[in-house]
Amino acid sequence: AALLLGLSALSVAHAEQAPTYERIAFSVKAAQEVPNDMLTAVLYAEQQGQDTAALANTVNQTTTWALDIAKQANTVTSRTLDYTTNPIYGENGKVSGWQVRQSIQLKSQDSKALSGLLGQLQEKLRIEGISYSVSPDVQASTEKALIDQALKTFKERAEQMKTGMGRQEYRVVRLDVQAANDYFQPPIMMRAMADAAPAAAPAPPALEGGKQNLQVNVQAEIELSLA
């Protein structure tokens, strides 16, 4: 029994100390440039004064007016965002008035329709910012193709290493597939228009989303046969 126990302990120690042979880690990637086909604009109605009820009424009417116009554009989706009522403090630190503000968001893949709508809404609303992103459909289809491409490259690289090392086969130890993309672009802030509401609707803004690279990374680790 003592001999068997000693042999068992030696076997365990040997197993713990046994090295892993010919393990290789590497990475591959696939990338594609795609257009930013989704445009998102945030606008807001704002009033300042003493009578919060009157301020809220004006902001509510303006927001309703804007949403009614937005709903007429079939290719543009709209929704309300934050609604805030904040105090305005004077130099003495006391409340001197109130600010009531309501924001709305417009999203569209039709830049021409969104640009025209913004031109209309700027009669009463201010533009907080416009941002560009890749739409979910384009993101999903592009990412699927990139994953297939990256995995194909992985197999080719693994075969190259196996052949180059003169081995018969390899096995996958670890395979991590990750999309390394930032689909949402920082908004372009319309600071010049934030000082005062325009008296009449200006010309529609020119919108061009540009492009960005979508990328898939594959972190791999393989183990080559010893012979």
Side-chain angles (χ1 to χ4, degrees):
L3 178 60
L4 290 175
L5 180 60
L7 290 175
S8 176
L10 288 174
S11 298
V12 171
H14 179 73
E16 291 177 349
Q17 296 173 4
T20 300
Y21 291 94
E22 304 298 347
R23 184 169 289 192
I24 302 174
F26 62 95
S27 64
V28 297
K29 68 179 181 179
Q32 181 179 339
E33 189 176 62
V34 297
N36 289 312
D37 62 330
M38 179 65 73
L39 286 80
T40 302
V42 176
L43 304 91
Y44 64 94
E46 181 181 289
Q47 292 291 317
Q48 297 182 8
Q50 302 291 333
D51 189 340
T52 55
L55 297 175
N57 185 57
T58 301
V59 167
N60 294 344
Q61 290 180 350
T62 302
T63 303
T64 300
W65 167 84
L67 291 174
D68 288 342
I69 294 178
K71 290 176 182 177
Q72 298 175 21
N74 296 328
T75 58
V76 179
T77 59
S78 59
R79 69 185 182 105
T80 57
L81 298 177
D82 56 294
Y83 190 111
T84 59
T85 300
N86 295 316
I88 300 174
Y89 295 96
E91 295 181 359
N92 57 4
K94 295 182 179 180
V95 175
S96 60
W98 297 89
Q99 177 195 71
V100 178
R101 174 168 167 159
Q102 168 82 75
S103 300
I104 66 171
Q105 181 189 77
L106 305 177
K107 299 185 72 171
S108 180
Q109 292 178 266
D110 187 342
S111 61
K112 184 177 181 180
L114 184 58
S115 175
L117 181 57
L118 292 177
Q120 288 181 271
L121 298 183
Q122 285 181 92
E123 179 181 339
K124 295 184 179 181
L125 272 67
R126 304 171 188 175
I127 298 179
E128 180 176 318
I130 301 173
S131 58
Y132 308 88
S133 61
V134 177
S135 64
D137 291 341
V138 172
Q139 171 187 334
S141 61
T142 303
E143 201 168 87
K144 180 179 179 181
L146 290 176
I147 289 175
D148 290 341
Q149 181 181 339
L151 290 176
K152 180 181 178 182
T153 303
F154 155 74
K155 292 178 181 178
E156 293 173 350
R157 187 70 56 81
E159 287 289 339
Q160 179 185 13
M161 292 180 179
K162 182 199 74 174
T163 303
M165 296 292 289
R167 304 304 165 82
Q168 295 297 317
E169 61 182 12
Y170 73 88
R171 63 182 183 183
V172 178
V173 178
R174 180 177 63 88
L175 193 65
D176 295 333
V177 181
Q178 297 180 345
N181 304 299
D182 182 12
Y183 305 112
F184 190 79
Q185 298 297 309
I188 299 174
M189 306 305 294
M190 311 295 284
R191 298 186 186 281
M193 310 185 80
D195 295 333
L207 303 179
E208 177 56 53
K211 298 180 180 181
Q212 66 170 293
N213 280 320
L214 301 189
Q215 182 173 303
V216 168
N217 294 328
V218 174
Q219 300 291 332
E221 193 171 0
I222 64 173
E223 192 171 63
L224 301 177
S225 60
L226 297 180

